[in-house]
Amino acid sequence: DAGITQSPRHKVTETGTPVTLRCHQTENHRYMYWYRQDPGHGLRLIHYSYGVKDTDKGEVSDGYSVSRSKTEDFLLTLESATSSQTSVYFCATNVAGISYEQYFGPGTRLTVT
Amino acid sequence: AQTVTQSQPEMSVQEAETVTLSCTYDTSESDYYLFWYKQPPSRQMILVIRQEAYKQQNATENRFSVNFQKAAKSFSLKISDSQLGDAAMYFCAYRTLNTPLVFGKGTRLSVIA
């Protein structure tokens, strides 16, 4: 357990509304990641961060933005949610001392109607 | 780009029997890391086992072991003495030290009592 929490755990929102998901970690890990999970696709990387204010795009970044103003928090924002963004979102961090090993938060189920 | 392929969308095994899940990957790197993650119905992503590419010895964790064939770019997971609690989605994943995890699409394992 790498001390990762995600909020909210479930959310239903309407098309066109902004949505922000929060990932919080207590282990002071440098690297943090956002993935989405969809049936038939596994987990795909949206964005990741390698330090405060340092972020980069992943495989499926269109329609998403991120921010990291503190080491412990990594926010994922959908500026204008679409039905194609209905998914389960996972946050992950690298475990200290084993930098290549990632541990995951519990996930957020987002439904866009 | 690196890709990970799991060719078995679904597998089943009798309780107490052995099952092998397949995974192949494509990379031009020589130094990388491979993982198997388990996702039970709770949705939590659980690290099952990891393998460093520079290690010739196959990793083992209790009833879980891997068959790592570097030249063939193959990384299969063997589960011995299968238990009902092993029923889950299993994801194979790859990364280098400087790149995030890339996942396969997963294999759903059912355990028959």
Side-chain angles (χ1 to χ4, degrees), chain A residues 29-94:
Chain A
H29 294 163
R30 178 183 173 193
Y31 284 82
M32 299 183 74
Y33 309 84
W34 277 108
Y35 293 86
R36 61 176 288 173
Q37 182 181 16
D38 304 290
H41 289 278
L43 280 78
R44 293 178 291 173
L45 182 67
I46 305 171
H47 282 279
Y48 67 100
S49 170
Y50 45 95
V52 174
K53 299 189 186 303
D54 293 323
T55 64
D56 205 350
K57 295 180 180 180
E59 177 189 357
V60 290
S61 60
D62 287 350
Y64 302 94
S65 62
V66 290
S67 65
R68 191 166 180 204
S69 58
K70 298 184 290 185
T71 298
E72 58 266 34
D73 289 326
F74 191 33
L75 304 181
L76 177 69
T77 297
L78 292 65
E79 300 291 347
S80 178
T82 67
S83 58
S84 65
Q85 294 175 312
T86 292
S87 187
V88 178
Y89 291 85
F90 285 95
C91 175
T93 70
N94 276 6

Side-chain angles (χ1 to χ4, degrees), chain B residues 78-110:
Chain B
K78 185 173 79 172
I79 305 174
S80 304
D81 185 25
S82 296
Q83 301 174 359
L84 294 177
D86 295 333
M89 283 290 290
Y90 286 83
F91 293 98
C92 180
Y94 158 102
R95 72 170 298 174
T96 68
L97 193 58
N98 297 316
T99 60
L101 281 173
V102 176
F103 286 87
K105 294 184 178 181
T107 297
R108 182 175 301 281
L109 179 66
S110 302

Side-chain angles (χ1 to χ4, degrees), chain A residues 13-19 78-85 111-113:
Chain A
T13 191
E14 293 184 350
T15 297
T17 59
V19 176
L78 292 65
E79 300 291 347
S80 178
T82 67
S83 58
S84 65
Q85 294 175 312
T111 302
V112 183
T113 61

